[in-house]
Amino acid sequence: MGKVYDIESFRIDSSCITFKVNGIDYSFRLSEISPKLAQASEKERNEFTISPSGYGIHWESIDEDLSIKGLIQKS
């Protein structure tokens, strides 16, 4: 089975997550989608893994997971 979501790019800074999935650009304010990420240090925010299938993103150090489907549905 191939990837469900093709995450072409992913960037996170102190206030936003920006990514491109299946050719479409998305941007979300951290404060609106994840209090944990909004409060995390730069180092913690930048230590993430993207699931091989593209389902989601995981931040182990702050125990946070975001699903790509959930984010896309918010847009």
Side-chain angles (χ1 to χ4, degrees), residues 20-65:
K20 187 172 195 171
V21 175
N22 299 339
I24 302 171
D25 293 312
Y26 296 92
S27 184
F28 299 95
R29 296 194 56 75
L30 292 180
S31 60
E32 296 174 4
I33 61 167
S34 172
K36 284 184 178 183
L37 283 171
Q39 297 299 315
S41 70
E42 180 180 358
K43 182 177 188 260
E44 290 170 324
R45 281 192 304 274
N46 285 300
E47 292 179 346
F48 60 86
T49 55
I50 298 174
S51 67
S53 63
Y55 276 111
I57 305 110
H58 174 70
W59 289 264
E60 187 168 337
S61 65
I62 60 171
D63 191 29
E64 181 70 312
D65 295 282

Side-chain angles (χ1 to χ4, degrees), residues 40 66 69 71:
L66 295 177
K69 181 179 180 180
L71 290 170

